[in-house]
Amino acid sequence: MLKTKKMIPLAIPHMSGMEEKYIQKAFSENWIAPLGSNLDAFEASIASYNRVLESAVVSSGTAAIHLALQLLGVGAGDTVFCSTFTFVASINPALYLGAEPVFIDSEQETWCMSPFALKTALEDAREKKQLPKAIIVVHIYGQSAKMNEIIALANEYGVPIVEDAAEALGSTYRNAPLGTLGDLGTFSFNGNKIITTSGGGALVAKQPEKIAEARFLASQSKEDAPYYLHHQVGYNYRLSNVLAGIGIAQMDVLDDRVAKKQEIFATYEKGLADVPSLVMMPELDVAKGNRWLSTMTFCVDTVGKTPEDVMELLRARGIDSRLLWKPMHQQPLFQDALFYADEAGDVATKLFQTGLCLPSSTQMTQEEQEYVMDTVKEILSK
C-alpha cells in the first residue's frame, strides 16, 4: 500500500505548460487590463468549443450568473427558481438584484433539478400569478440535468432558463454542450474547476446580441462617447488579458482533462463495485458528464459511519475528500425560502447526508488512486 507523506488533494489546478507563453504575450504587448488579444482569443475559443457564435469572459462564474439574470430583467420583488443542491454562488446573484429565491429539489437519476418538483413549483406560481423571472438549472458535478423535461416545462410556462454549468464545461446532453441548451449559460474557471484561469467565468447565449450587452454591462456600462457617459448601472466584471492568456492554454488541453476525469471516475466505479451500499453518481444514457468530481453515496446505517466520519478517517490517512453540497433550503441564509421536493421526498438532503467527493485531480497517479480505493474499502467495511 502507498505510504503517503503528503495529502492527496481533492482537485487542484493542472497547468498545460504553455500558460507562461500567453502571459508573456500580454506583458510584451503591455495589455494588462481587461482588453487585448488574449481576451479576444479566449472568448473565441470558448465560443467555438461550445458551438455558439459569441461568449463573454468575466471575472467569475458568479459574475456570469449575475449578468445573465440582469439580461433577463430580474429585479426587486421577482422570484427566481434555482436548484437547491448547489453552491451558494448559483443563487447569490438573484439576491444582489433584490429577487426572492425558490428552491427546487434534485431527483435520483442525475442529482440535478427534479422536473417533478419544478412542475409543482410552476403550477403554484401560476396560481399565485407570480411566475419566476428565471429558472437556474445547475449541472452538478458536471452531470446534466434532464434538460428535455425541464425545457418543455420552461416553454410551457414562458420562463427563461439560465444554465449554471460552472462545473460542467466539456459535458454534453444529447451531444449538445451543456450551457448552450437554455437561454443563457455560465461557466466557471475557478482554481479547482476542470480548467482554470485562477478565477474567472464565461457567459454564452442563444442570442449573440445578449453577449454584446453583457460585455457592455461588465465594462461599467460605459457608453460610446468621447467622455465617460453612463445611462445605467454597470459592473467591473471583465477578465484581465493576463488571466485570459492562462485560459487559452487551458482550453488547448480541456479535452484531455475531461478524458482523464472520466477515466478516474471509471476506475473508482470498477474498483469500488464490491463495496456494500456504495453507489457512484449516476448518469443519463443521453448525457456524457465531464466527471469534474468523482462522487459517491453509501448507506450510513449499514456502514455505521456518517460522511463526515469517513471524511475525517480519510484525512487521517492523508486523503482529502469533501462532503456533498449542503442544500440551499437547509442553509440559515434561506430559512424562509420556499422549497419544492421531488416525488421521492427531499432528495437533495438525502444526498448531503449520505455522500462524499473523492480525490479527482487529473495529476493523481494510479498508485494514489489505488491507495484511495483501498482506504475507502477498509473504512466502509469496518
Side-chain angles (χ1 to χ4, degrees), residues 207-361:
Q207 300 172 297
E209 61 270 20
K210 291 291 186 186
I211 297 303
E213 189 177 349
R215 290 178 183 145
F216 173 72
L217 290 169
S219 305
Q220 300 287 18
S221 296
K222 181 182 176 293
E223 303 286 351
D224 185 12
Y227 50 87
Y228 291 105
L229 178 64
H230 310 272
H231 288 121
Q232 63 187 98
V233 173
Y235 311 98
N236 185 19
Y237 278 170
R238 289 293 265 160
L239 190 70
S240 84
N241 195 51
V242 177
L243 296 184
I246 299 175
I248 296 170
Q250 288 278 285
M251 287 296 292
D252 286 342
V253 295
L254 174 56
D255 285 340
D256 293 338
R257 300 292 181 260
V258 171
K260 182 61 177 178
K261 291 277 191 181
Q262 292 169 339
E263 178 189 325
I264 289 168
F265 182 91
T267 300
Y268 278 132
E269 193 168 43
K270 182 179 179 180
L272 298 173
D274 59 347
V275 179
S277 87
L278 188 153
V279 179
M280 297 299 292
M281 184 182 187
E283 183 174 69
L284 296 172
D285 291 340
V286 296
K288 194 67 176 173
N290 64 12
R291 299 301 189 183
W292 169 59
L293 290 182
S294 290
T295 58
M296 67 176 195
T297 58
F298 61 91
C299 179
V300 172
D301 291 338
T302 299
V303 172
K305 299 180 183 72
T306 66
E308 191 168 358
D309 294 333
V310 175
M311 182 177 67
E312 292 305 319
L313 289 167
L314 287 171
R315 178 169 289 277
R317 306 286 188 89
I319 299 169
D320 195 14
S321 61
R322 181 183 292 169
L323 302 177
L324 300 187
W325 297 119
K326 183 180 176 71
M328 291 299 99
H329 73 279
Q330 297 283 3
Q331 300 285 350
L333 176 62
F334 301 113
Q335 59 184 346
D336 297 324
L338 286 175
F339 165 68
Y340 288 86
D342 181 63
E343 58 189 326
D346 188 344
V347 172
T349 296
K350 292 174 187 173
L351 291 171
F352 170 64
Q353 292 171 341
T354 60
L356 205 65
C357 305
L358 297 174
S360 305
S361 289

Side-chain angles (χ1 to χ4, degrees), residues 3-20:
K3 299 295 183 183
T4 181
K5 292 184 178 179
K6 62 179 182 178
M7 187 72 68
I8 297 174
L10 181 75
I12 56 175
H14 191 173
M15 296 293 101
S16 73
M18 295 299 292
E19 286 80 7
E20 290 186 22

Side-chain angles (χ1 to χ4, degrees), residues 49-52 139 144 147-148 151 163 168 170-182 187 206 286-289:
Y49 187 90
N50 289 290
R51 300 177 228 157
V52 294
H139 299 300
S144 175
M147 290 305 293
N148 272 12
I151 289 171
E163 287 180 83
S171 302
T172 61
Y173 175 80
R174 298 185 183 274
N175 297 318
L178 293 188
T180 67
L181 298 159
F187 303 101
K206 285 185 174 179
V286 296
K288 194 67 176 173

